[in-house]
Amino acid sequence: MKWANKFASFFSNLFRQRHLDRELDSDVDGYLDLLVEEKLNAGFSPAEARRQALLEMGGPTQVKERTRQARSGSLLLSFLQDLRYARRMLLKKPSFTVFALLSLAVGIGVNTAIFSLVNVVLLEPLPYEHPRQLAIVYSVFPGAGVSRAPASGPELDELRKRSLLFQEFGATWVGSGALTGEGEPEQIKIGQVTANFFSVLGARAALGRTFLPEEEGGRGQGVVLLSDGLWRRRYGADPQIVGKIFRTAAGAFTVVGVMPHGFEVIFPADAGVPPDTQAWVPFAYPIEQNPRDLGYLHVIGRMRPGVNIAQAQAELDAISRDLRAQFREFSEQQLEHLAVPLQVDAVKEVRAPLLALFAGVGLVLLLSCANVANLLLARAGERAREMTMRSALGATRFRIIRQLMTESFLLAMLGGAAGLTVAAVLLKALPVLWPRVVPRLADVTLDGPTLLFTAGLSVLTGVIFGLTPALASSSVNLVESLKEAGRNFVGGHRKLRRLLVLAEVTLAFVLLTGAGLMLRTFVRLLQVDPGFHSPDVLTFAISPPGRRYPDDVKIIELLQQLEKNLAALPGVQSVGSTSHLPFDDYGNWYSYYFPEGTAKDQQKTTMADHRSVSPSLFRTLQVPLLTGRYFTEADDAQHPRVVIVDDLLAQRTWPGQSALGKKLSTETMQNGEFKQEWSEVVGVVQHVLYHSLMRQVRPQVYLPYMQSTRGNMQMSFVVRTEGSTESLLPEVRQAVAQLDKDLPVSKVRALDALVAVARIRTRFVSLLSGLLAMISMLLACIGIYGVTSCSVRHATTEIGVRMALGAHRADILRMFLRQSMVYIALGVALGAICSAPLAPLLSSLLFQVKPLDALTFTVVIATLLAVGLLACLLPATRASRMDPMAALRYE
């Protein structure tokens, strides 16, 4: 009721003051009344007196205009006067101003930066035509536990024929190719697409055109679309590029267009469609003639206007039932389809961490506001005499509040301007901290919406931290204040200030808990064994061009000779090669497997990652052999087929049995054709984490590359060295050039860098949440220190009396520590209560750490209590060492 009465009184005074302001600003009306009175005294009638007075002042219209100008001028002058006074008061106390501005700059700056990121990545529509109509269509194989698989060519063809709610479907598959011709050979990512792929997206070429239907399926001559980056870097932004020849190791293509600057194909991070694709070509073969169970196409569809995702999904369910009924392959696969809005799916990996960070920076802003409000309340004690004199000279409470709120708004606006600098620095650091998994990260800037957000946030911040101190400071008991000369106000509103400290400690606890949980997760990730030893390993990739390496024999000769040449380099311990590296963005290869004796209807219910490797790969990566043997040079096409499986597959397929000697049907690739072949298990190795450090996605099957070369597709080499991997790079390039000077080397990096990519999301969230937690703890310390110091100043005379009556220094120290620590302990308790329901919201970001982790909560409690004790110890110690005589003479 007390606060309700205060607010009622405030608004009553507000309306009364506005009425008084109107009267004071009506000087023109007052002058008119004086003229009317003179005319009445001269004997004019009332109507004539008013008419004559108006004529003397220029007529009714002129009087109204002068009245309006007088009123507006009075308000403007009053505001400018308040603004100048606010500026003088901020300059008068530079230490207060600096501390307040730093608090606000940090709070507003981090909010601005994260809002800009959230706005571009999560809120803004994707940069396509009508992006809400776009949906990714996945193939689902529930029997094999696969829910987001690519589709086959015949499957895409059937979807196009049967769907009524989709305007059209397009598809892509991204591989690599060697760019030759002028300049050094270069390995680039080339996307193969259906001719209508760009029209499905609603994307148009900046130069030239996109593909025509007759250019797909090998029906026309080879054509290519270039990315803006490749066009500028390789061809110097040649405006006449359209029509020129684009030469690759696979053949020559005619350039038909260049895509706009900033264009990228935005798919989910796990879809195998990297956004940095540099060129696109139409599929050079009729994809509808592929095997029905050969899935590799990433399908995107455009729904018709007015169709929602639920309706589209219902239609896909009906189509899936028809396909299973009509085609044996789809029935064996238990084929289903899943439609997911592209806008949702493209950011699924980053949505949770971004929302968690946005909530965290919001708490930091509240903490900053509480801290500045505390500083303003402390400063109010120093200005008590000023407020008393203002009231004594006739200033209303509303007038005092208006002046104080003007100071708060000026402070908030300056803090907002400084916050833009903080935000700019953070935005420059984002690509370094989180470079890969955030779509459209390059588009995150301080744009118009962000600046509006900052301005609105600054105004709101000014209200939040300014209103309560203004109301408290303007509540002056004139008689008591004049009698005490402001002495008691030095520590005024102590209870309110301590409540603000309690709120600061509570908010700091919540932020520290989140940071602690993420830090524990990151430590757990650092301790995860990926199944291989990554230090001191250099990796690179090559793609043997089909024109010079048309068959498996030549490809095998190239890979074997390159391994020998690399192994002979000084400082090289061992060399191996593989079709897929862990945590690489190269398109994944997984397919069906089944053991001997599996019933026909069960042969397409289990899937595994398939890897084509050289015999020395496992030794180079130091993958532990659990039983059996590694591959040897004898495991070639002239000998019986063999396979190595990981322990996860062995346990699932032959539980309680030895896998050695068992027959396993796996997918192989020879001379560009996929086949299902029987192989004998000769070894079992430890499971390797290829996709995520947080979970096992699929078991693994390893095939000797001499029995499954994967044709002209990319092969990655791993080179274990005795020293620096960077120093070996020139020799590696030379070794490749000696075999084939036109064979480009790509993706040169340390294997440790690939493992770091798998930790990058957790590292980013941990780093930023830790920074926010440190800021919150620092702000809480400042608040605790300020309240304790103010309490000491207010109780100076009391301290002198107590010490004069025999109190010891230890008694004074305990008294102030007890007063401060009560509120700190309450804040810690409230923080623990608030964190209990909030921590589970971070579950999707945690790994091997429970949301209510006892160790994290214990450390946060101990840390805040220790920091709070240190923050109030210094002023309390100063109070205990006070001279009693000086204290008694104080004020």
Side-chain angles (χ1 to χ4, degrees):
M1 288 301 295
K2 184 177 179 181
W3 277 103
N5 292 334
K6 284 187 176 182
F7 276 106
S9 174
F10 165 70
F11 284 109
S12 175
N13 290 336
L14 172 65
F15 291 119
R16 184 165 60 253
Q17 182 61 31
R18 289 184 64 186
H19 176 70
L20 292 174
D21 286 345
R22 288 196 185 96
E23 291 183 350
L24 293 173
D25 292 337
S26 301
D27 294 336
V28 178
D29 291 339
Y31 181 59
L32 179 63
D33 291 341
L34 288 175
L35 289 178
V36 170
E37 187 175 352
E38 288 180 2
K39 302 303 180 184
L40 289 172
N41 293 335
F44 289 96
S45 66
E48 184 64 21
R50 183 170 182 80
R51 190 179 69 81
Q52 291 291 333
L54 287 172
L55 288 175
E56 288 188 21
M57 295 184 66
T61 304
Q62 185 66 22
V63 170
K64 288 181 180 179
E65 180 63 22
R66 291 173 63 184
T67 301
R68 187 190 63 79
Q69 292 177 356
R71 289 179 178 175
S72 62
S74 175
L75 289 173
L76 179 61
L77 290 174
S78 178
F79 173 72
L80 292 176
Q81 181 184 9
D82 287 347
L83 203 59
R84 286 193 295 269
Y85 188 75
R87 180 179 61 85
R88 288 200 302 272
M89 294 306 296
L90 292 180
L91 292 175
K92 186 177 180 181
K93 291 288 185 179
S95 58
F96 159 81
T97 304
V98 169
F99 273 117
L101 285 179
L102 284 176
S103 296
L104 293 174
V106 170
I108 295 175
V110 295
N111 272 271
T112 299
I114 300 301
F115 168 80
S116 181
L117 186 61
V118 169
N119 181 50
V120 170
V121 176
L122 300 185
L123 303 181
E124 284 189 359
L126 294 175
Y128 303 129
E129 183 178 326
H130 305 299
R132 304 292 181 185
Q133 297 176 3
L134 295 173
I136 297 181
V137 179
Y138 293 103
S139 296
V140 179
F141 308 120
V146 177
S147 60
R148 297 168 63 88
S152 65
E155 190 179 338
L156 173 63
D157 186 52
E158 293 295 335
L159 289 174
R160 286 173 165 175
K161 293 176 181 177
R162 297 168 185 261
S163 176
L164 299 177
L165 299 184
F166 282 88
Q167 288 181 351
E168 52 183 338
F169 292 95
T172 182
W173 180 84
V174 179
S176 59
L179 181 57
T180 58
E182 298 179 1
E184 292 293 324
E186 178 184 354
Q187 189 94 349
I188 62 172
K189 294 176 182 176
I190 301 178
Q192 298 184 52
V193 298
T194 55
N196 70 334
F197 182 75
F198 294 100
S199 66
V200 172
L201 292 178
R204 297 172 178 83
L207 287 178
R209 61 172 175 83
T210 56
F211 302 129
L212 303 176
E214 57 268 22
E215 292 170 336
E216 182 184 339
R219 295 189 293 270
Q221 69 176 35
V223 292
V224 65
L225 265 172
L226 306 182
S227 69
D228 179 81
L230 180 64
W231 172 59
R232 293 180 184 277
R233 175 174 53 80
R234 184 83 180 188
Y235 301 100
D238 179 8
Q240 307 299 321
I241 189 67
V242 175
K244 293 188 176 180
I245 300 301
F246 177 83
R247 298 190 183 279
T248 72
F253 298 83
T254 301
V255 178
V256 296
V258 178
M259 296 306 293
H261 175 71
F263 172 82
E264 58 183 17
V265 179
I266 302 174
F267 269 57
D270 61 351
V273 183
D276 56 343
T277 304
Q278 295 151 293
W280 296 269
V281 297
F283 284 108
Y285 50 89
I287 58 176
E288 65 274 7
Q289 296 179 13
N290 289 151
R292 290 192 181 93
D293 56 358
L294 179 59
Y296 64 98
L297 299 175
H298 303 283
V299 177
I300 186 166
R302 177 172 289 277
M303 297 178 289
R304 296 187 183 277
V307 175
N308 59 44
I309 197 67
Q311 293 170 327
Q313 183 61 57
E315 183 188 57
L316 289 176
D317 290 341
I319 293 174
S320 301
R321 287 194 296 270
D322 292 343
L323 293 179
R324 291 196 301 270
Q326 185 173 351
F327 299 103
R328 175 184 55 81
E329 294 90 343
F330 296 148
S331 176
E332 291 175 353
Q333 291 178 311
Q334 303 177 30
L335 175 68
E336 296 178 3
H337 290 99
L338 172 67
V340 184
L342 179 61
Q343 184 80 33
V344 174
D345 210 36
V347 296
K348 65 184 181 66
E349 294 291 331
V350 299
R351 180 181 299 276
L354 284 184
L355 292 179
L357 288 174
F358 197 41
V361 296
L363 294 179
V364 169
L365 181 62
L366 289 177
L367 213 153
S368 298
C369 290
N371 199 56
V372 174
N374 229 326
L375 292 173
L376 287 173
L377 283 172
R379 192 166 177 243
E382 302 171 4
R383 299 180 65 181
R385 194 186 304 274
E386 174 195 342
M387 298 301 125
T388 301
M389 294 303 297
R390 280 174 171 267
S391 298
L393 292 174
T396 63
R397 187 181 183 191
F398 173 78
R399 186 66 185 83
I400 293 174
I401 290 175
R402 193 176 74 180
Q403 174 61 57
L404 294 176
M405 287 303 293
T406 302
E407 295 179 20
S408 296
F409 278 121
L410 178 59
L411 192 62
M413 290 302 164
L414 293 174
L420 287 176
T421 303
V422 175
V425 173
L426 282 175
L427 290 181
K428 285 187 177 294
L430 283 178
V432 178
L433 298 175
W434 203 358
R436 276 189 58 163
V437 294
V438 182
R440 295 191 287 170
L441 187 59
D443 298 335
V444 179
T445 58
L446 295 177
D447 53 8
T450 303
L451 295 177
L452 286 175
F453 172 82
T454 305
L457 192 64
S458 300
V459 172
L460 180 62
T461 301
V463 172
I464 292 175
F465 74 73
L467 187 57
T468 300
L471 289 173
S473 300
S474 63
S475 179
V476 178
N477 187 323
L478 190 57
V479 176
E480 291 298 323
S481 298
L482 289 173
K483 185 187 300 181
E484 297 294 333
R487 183 166 58 242
N488 286 341
F489 209 86
V490 174
H493 305 291
R494 283 177 294 170
K495 185 176 292 186
L496 180 57
R497 295 194 63 204
R498 285 173 176 167
L499 287 175
L500 286 173
V501 166
L502 187 148
E504 290 183 52
V505 174
T506 301
L507 293 173
F509 190 100
V510 174
L511 287 168
L512 279 170
T513 301
L517 291 173
M518 290 308 305
L519 181 60
R520 290 259 289 153
T521 292
F522 188 60
V523 171
R524 291 286 190 182
L525 280 181
L526 292 176
Q527 297 171 347
V528 168
D529 177 13
F532 57 90
H533 191 62
S534 62
D536 303 321
V537 175
L538 178 70
T539 72
F540 67 91
I542 62 171
S543 295
R547 288 192 305 170
R548 296 197 300 276
Y549 304 93
D551 54 42
D552 285 358
V553 174
K554 290 189 175 297
I555 293 173
I556 291 171
E557 288 176 356
L558 171 68
L559 298 180
Q560 287 180 326
Q561 189 60 51
L562 183 54
E563 279 198 18
K564 291 178 181 178
N565 292 355
L566 292 173
L569 294 176
V572 172
Q573 293 180 340
S574 62
V575 180
S577 59
T578 176
S579 58
H580 294 78
L581 283 174
F583 313 118
D584 193 9
D585 61 358
Y586 184 58
N588 197 18
W589 178 24
Y590 61 94
S591 185
Y592 298 104
Y593 74 93
F594 51 89
E596 193 174 25
T598 302
K600 182 68 174 178
D601 60 351
Q602 295 295 313
Q603 291 180 357
K604 292 187 176 180
T605 58
T606 52
M607 284 189 171
D609 286 333
H610 285 52
R611 303 289 180 254
S612 182
V613 302
S614 69
S616 56
L617 176 78
F618 296 113
R619 293 186 179 88
T620 303
L621 290 182
Q622 298 180 6
V623 177
L625 178 67
L626 303 182
T627 184
R629 66 173 177 86
Y630 291 133
F631 294 136
T632 68
E633 297 295 336
D635 296 319
D636 56 19
Q638 285 70 46
H639 289 82
R641 295 188 175 277
V642 292
V643 68
I644 292 176
V645 300
D646 69 352
D647 55 342
L648 186 60
L649 187 145
Q651 291 167 9
R652 291 180 181 179
T653 309
W654 302 286
Q657 303 177 46
S658 172
L660 296 182
K662 296 291 196 298
K663 295 291 185 179
L664 193 70
S665 179
T666 61
E667 184 180 70
T668 64
M669 186 177 185
Q670 298 171 308
N671 293 316
E673 294 185 8
F674 287 101
K675 297 180 180 180
Q676 199 79 20
E677 300 280 0
W678 288 101
S679 303
E680 179 183 344
V681 177
V682 296
V684 178
V685 296
Q686 180 178 316
H687 178 76
V688 174
L689 298 174
Y690 273 90
H691 309 283
S692 170
L693 288 172
M694 291 188 174
R695 66 185 187 278
Q696 296 175 334
V697 177
R698 279 180 294 272
Q700 285 126 25
V701 169
Y702 298 94
L703 310 166
Y705 76 72
M706 290 181 289
Q707 295 180 355
S708 180
T709 62
R710 284 182 53 83
N712 306 102
M713 295 185 181
Q714 174 181 293
M715 286 293 287
S716 295
F717 282 77
V718 291
V719 183
R720 182 167 295 280
T721 68
E722 295 177 347
S724 170
T725 56
E726 294 180 2
S727 62
L728 190 65
L729 179 57
E731 297 179 12
V732 166
R733 292 188 182 276
Q734 185 178 1
V736 175
Q738 286 175 351
L739 289 177
D740 188 339
K741 63 181 180 61
D742 293 326
L743 186 62
V745 175
S746 66
K747 296 186 176 181
V748 181
R749 56 204 164 178
L751 187 56
D752 271 341
L754 285 171
V755 177
V757 167
R759 302 189 183 111
I760 197 165
R761 185 185 75 167
T762 302
R763 186 192 70 179
F764 174 78
V765 179
S766 300
L767 181 62
L768 199 52
S769 60
L771 178 63
L772 297 180
M774 294 299 294
I775 292 171
S776 68
M777 195 160 58
L778 178 61
L779 292 175
C781 281
I782 293 174
I784 294 167
Y785 177 85
V787 168
T788 308
S789 297
C790 192
S791 298
V792 170
R793 289 198 304 272
H794 174 65
T796 300
T797 304
E798 179 187 347
I799 293 170
V801 172
R802 285 177 176 271
M803 297 184 75
L805 294 175
H808 297 289
R809 296 184 184 276
D811 298 327
I812 303 299
L813 181 65
R814 279 195 299 270
M815 179 182 73
F816 284 104
L817 289 180
R818 183 171 59 251
Q819 291 175 357
S820 298
M821 291 304 294
V822 166
Y823 285 88
I824 294 172
L826 283 174
V828 168
L830 281 176
I833 293 172
C834 293
S835 296
L838 293 177
L841 299 178
L842 297 176
S843 296
S844 62
L845 303 177
L846 303 181
F847 173 67
Q848 295 183 357
V849 178
K850 295 180 180 178
L852 301 181
D853 181 59
L855 178 60
T856 301
F857 274 72
T858 302
V859 171
V860 171
I861 290 172
T863 300
L864 271 180
L865 289 176
V867 169
L869 178 62
L870 289 175
C872 60
L873 188 60
L874 184 60
T877 302
R878 188 169 62 246
S880 67
R881 295 176 179 176
M882 196 175 292
D883 181 11
M885 296 306 296
L888 288 171
R889 288 196 300 268
Y890 182 75
E891 291 265 43

